[in-house]
Amino acid sequence: CPRGEHDDGEVWLVTRDGARACFRLADPLREDAATTVQALARAGLRVHLLSGDHPAPAPRVAETLGIALLGAQASPADKLDRVRALQAAGHRVLMVGDGVNDAPVLAAADASLAVGEATALARTAADAVLLAGGLQRVAELVMMARITRRVVAQNLGWATVYNLVAIPAAAFGLVPPWVAALGMSASSLLVVGNALRLRIRPWKPSTSSSR
């Protein structure tokens, strides 16, 4: 059973007479794993790998992607302890997983995503499920959430300022009623128009490497 360059484990076929066959298994990276990590790093997120897999492949994957390894062959309880330690240190944690062992930590994280062909338990525990697409959708979702929050803040700020000015002016008769009604309609249209900017997908991150 010769060892290959990227062996992640071995399975033996054994009979009463001894070993008959050996299979070495390799678990390749997703094609978009590296670009997703780069996009998240450009967005200011620190990416960690917390794996329940064998200790041999986990460090190799972390080194290939240029991310920190929090732990390998970690049990569900180990994963939960690591995430809670990050939260206790003041960090907000976005957990991405797809396995049964990820369910407790998906539920405990500040935000969580189940990706790909995730198990039913992982989908139930996660805050959101990415039904299609690869890991790049994770980076897009982070950018979409940030831009959406900024647009919401802009709309709330404009509505607050407008109402603080327009309502007293209308109440004290400083402007005619038709002007106040027109201004309120224009304000609503401005808020809706600002929100519609999200339809142009401004959150799609660039896949080019940063320098």
Side-chain angles (χ1 to χ4, degrees), residues 127-146:
D127 295 320
V129 179
L130 299 180
L131 299 178
L135 291 176
Q136 188 66 24
R137 298 290 185 182
V138 176
E140 291 184 12
L141 186 59
V142 170
M143 298 301 296
M144 179 181 68
R146 290 182 172 181

Side-chain angles (χ1 to χ4, degrees), residues 10-177:
E10 59 186 35
V11 177
W12 288 84
L13 175 62
V14 180
T15 66
R16 293 177 181 270
D17 299 326
R20 295 299 182 183
C22 174
F23 304 90
R24 288 200 175 274
L25 308 178
D27 190 10
L29 288 174
R30 293 174 182 260
E31 293 181 357
D32 56 352
T35 56
T36 298
V37 169
Q38 293 170 6
L40 292 173
R42 287 195 298 271
L45 276 68
R46 184 180 303 171
V47 183
H48 302 280
L49 175 62
L50 183 55
S51 174
D53 294 338
H54 192 273
R60 185 188 73 240
V61 171
E63 182 179 0
T64 300
L65 296 177
I67 60 179
L69 177 63
L70 283 186
Q73 208 167 12
S75 66
D78 294 333
K79 293 183 178 181
L80 193 58
D81 290 341
R82 296 297 179 91
V83 168
R84 286 177 173 170
L86 290 173
Q87 292 172 327
H91 301 291
R92 287 179 293 179
V93 178
L94 168 63
M95 174 67 186
V96 180
D98 60 2
V100 174
N101 292 340
D102 294 326
V105 72
L106 285 169
D110 297 284
S112 57
L113 295 173
V115 298
E117 298 297 328
T119 62
L121 189 58
R123 295 187 181 205
T124 301
D127 295 320
V129 179
L130 299 180
L131 299 178
L135 291 176
Q136 188 66 24
R137 298 290 185 182
V138 176
E140 291 184 12
L141 186 59
V142 170
M143 298 301 296
M144 179 181 68
R146 290 182 172 181
I147 295 174
T148 300
R149 183 174 59 182
R150 185 164 65 243
V151 169
V152 169
Q154 291 170 352
N155 288 343
L156 288 176
W158 163 254
T160 300
V161 171
Y162 177 83
N163 288 329
L164 288 176
V165 174
I167 291 178
F172 288 103
L174 300 178
V175 295

